[in-house]
Amino acid sequence: MILFPAVDLKNGQCVRLEQGDMARATVFNLDPAAQAASFAAQGFEYLHVVDLDGAFAGKPMNAHAVEAMLKAVTMPVQLGGGIRDLETIEAWLAKGITRVIIGTAAVRDPELVKGAAKRFPGRVAVGLDARDGKVAVEGWAETSHVTALEIAQRFEDAGVAAIIFTDIARDGLLKGLNLEATIALADRFSIPVIASGGFASIDDVKALLEPRARKLAGAIVGRALYDGRLDPAAALKLIRSAA
């Protein structure tokens, strides 16, 4: 079970949003590379990065900050936000991103995801961000008419490395992970599923280590780390002791 610390980028800064609302952004670090290095020093093994501006623009908008983070750490980095064509996928993987996360294009252009997953085995993930069960796109600005289960089904045999399932209603609000919906998704498919949205405390770590959640590949933690509600050392120790 991997605990992914999150770095969300807006205007080159490290921020956290509430429910994906760009107007409700809190800046936590002006230097994303320093934040990434801090997470590495704390013992985390895999970094989760989102280009928020890119998610809205449909193309990379914080490339300089991402490239600085890649230079600052040696741990693998997964990146989402504005990745909607093969050229962008290839460019990020060539620059050192371990795994790209495709969200909007997974809804609108599933063949892109399937083709990329075949071409780059283990390096393409799908981001499913759900609001009231329906997948949101364009940086969560629009809600589609399809469910996370319907989207996931498209990629069951496509070689997708992981599904990152985010409950938008909980994201950034420290309400705890929506494990019921996440586990239900993981139980239906063979693709590894990562939980996201609402991570609040060590209780979430304990819940992830319960037998019912063992199928999950990990979880993403953001605000709880930034405001000190989750002690990284305690969380990682608990995960390692359960391994």
Side-chain angles (χ1 to χ4, degrees):
M1 210 278 294
I2 299 172
L3 197 57
F4 298 82
V7 175
D8 287 0
L9 299 169
K10 181 176 184 282
N11 299 327
Q13 301 172 338
C14 179
V15 306
R16 298 304 297 165
L17 305 184
E18 293 181 17
Q19 297 180 311
D21 187 346
M22 292 286 264
R24 294 156 71 192
T26 304
V27 177
F28 280 101
N29 199 324
L30 299 176
D31 186 345
Q35 185 63 62
S38 175
F39 284 142
Q42 289 166 5
F44 289 102
E45 297 176 359
Y46 209 127
L47 187 64
H48 175 80
V49 179
V50 178
D51 179 350
L52 295 173
D53 300 302
F56 281 91
K59 61 183 179 180
M61 297 294 287
N62 283 284
H64 181 72
V66 175
E67 289 163 11
M69 282 189 284
L70 288 170
K71 290 178 183 175
V73 299
T74 57
M75 65 175 156
V77 177
Q78 63 181 21
L79 172 69
I83 301 173
R84 298 185 193 166
D85 56 53
L86 190 60
E87 185 180 6
T88 305
I89 293 167
E90 290 176 336
W92 278 127
L93 295 179
K95 286 179 179 179
I97 291 295
T98 302
R99 185 158 72 191
V100 293
I101 304 163
I102 302 175
T104 296
V107 177
R108 297 187 169 159
D109 187 6
E111 294 307 314
L112 168 69
V113 178
K114 292 175 183 178
K118 286 194 177 96
R119 187 166 176 179
F120 304 106
R123 303 189 72 185
V124 176
V126 170
L128 298 182
D129 310 320
R131 182 184 287 117
D132 299 325
K134 300 293 174 66
V135 175
V137 295
E138 304 289 347
W140 301 355
E142 299 175 21
T143 303
S144 71
H145 299 292
V146 288
T147 67
L149 286 171
E150 288 170 328
I151 299 294
Q153 203 159 14
R154 296 175 179 176
F155 305 114
E156 172 64 349
D157 299 312
V160 168
I163 289 173
I164 294 140
F165 177 75
T166 303
D167 183 338
I168 296 172
R170 293 173 183 244
D171 193 64
L173 298 185
L174 301 162
K175 290 183 174 181
L177 294 166
N178 184 348
L179 285 183
E180 300 305 322
T182 312
I183 291 168
L185 189 66
D187 283 342
R188 288 278 300 273
F189 303 102
S190 61
I191 307 168
V193 176
I194 297 165
S196 173
F199 203 114
S201 69
I202 198 76
D203 288 338
D204 284 299
V205 179
K206 292 173 182 174
L208 285 162
L209 297 174
E210 290 175 5
R212 72 188 185 112
R214 280 302 177 99
K215 192 174 181 182
L216 299 182
I220 292 163
V221 55
R223 189 176 289 268
L225 276 177
Y226 289 98
D227 69 8
R229 290 170 194 251
L230 182 68
D231 176 0
L236 292 171
K237 183 180 178 182
L238 195 59
I239 291 167
R240 285 165 188 155
S241 68

